Amino acid sequence: MQHPRDDEAGGASGRRARGELESNVLATLWSADGPLTARQALERLPGDLAYTTVLTILSRLYDKGMLVRHREGRGYAYEPARDEASHTAQRMKSLLEGGSDREAVLTRFVSELSRQDERLLHQLLAGHEGQGGAGNLDDKR
């Protein structure tokens, strides 16, 4: 049996991963020089999407507080409410808070970092501690 959303997601064989279309729309908006209308976003998105699909995704992202919109003609132009780094950091924090073993998650995360990313993380933590931001780590839990 075909899922009702298969058509909008490219059919059962080409179905996107959950959230992939939202991620693509956000990436398109982050790379833009300013707010985009649904038509402008559609023109920049890969694949053969329907205008109504893009409009639905923009509306959903707006309803989630991830976009702000400005009146443009009879419609709206959309832009991200936060920059990409802030968005990604919030997602990482949310995933960490959702786990049952915070130490295991952090240990696995650090063990899978490249040497360059590990050095960067050490620098960031050292700078954070120097600003008095790290303080007592137990207070942050």
Side-chain angles (χ1 to χ4, degrees):
M1 181 172 170
Q2 186 173 356
H3 190 280
R5 293 188 189 227
D6 284 348
D7 290 335
E8 108 179 30
S13 62
R15 189 167 176 90
R16 289 180 182 84
R18 184 171 180 253
E20 183 181 348
L21 189 51
E22 284 187 1
S23 295
N24 288 346
V25 169
L26 278 170
T28 297
L29 292 171
W30 281 318
S31 68
D33 291 333
L36 297 177
T37 64
R39 179 73 54 203
Q40 292 167 327
L42 174 65
E43 292 168 359
R44 295 175 185 215
L45 285 163
D48 188 23
L49 298 170
Y51 171 79
T52 54
T53 299
V54 174
L55 193 57
T56 298
I57 295 301
L58 289 167
S59 295
R60 287 180 184 167
L61 290 170
Y62 172 77
D63 290 344
K64 291 178 182 181
M66 298 173 74
L67 301 179
V68 293
R69 66 183 184 191
H70 314 278
R71 185 57 91 173
E72 187 160 311
R74 294 186 337 202
Y76 294 99
Y78 296 84
E79 63 184 328
R82 296 184 303 213
D83 63 27
E84 185 176 9
S86 296
H87 172 75
T88 302
Q90 180 58 46
R91 288 179 58 204
M92 291 170 66
K93 182 179 178 209
S94 177
L95 287 170
L96 180 61
E97 289 172 349
S100 60
D101 188 344
R102 195 178 193 107
E103 183 176 345
V105 172
L106 285 170
T107 300
R108 179 65 54 95
F109 176 74
V110 170
S111 73
E112 294 183 12
L113 290 175
S114 68
R115 289 200 185 281
Q116 182 179 358
D117 286 344
E118 192 174 337
R119 280 193 295 273
L120 177 58
L121 185 57
H122 277 290
Q123 290 172 350
L124 293 170
L125 289 171
H128 191 69
E129 289 171 358
Q131 296 173 5
N136 184 349
L137 291 178
D138 290 331
D139 293 343
K140 301 257 181 194
R141 292 186 186 169

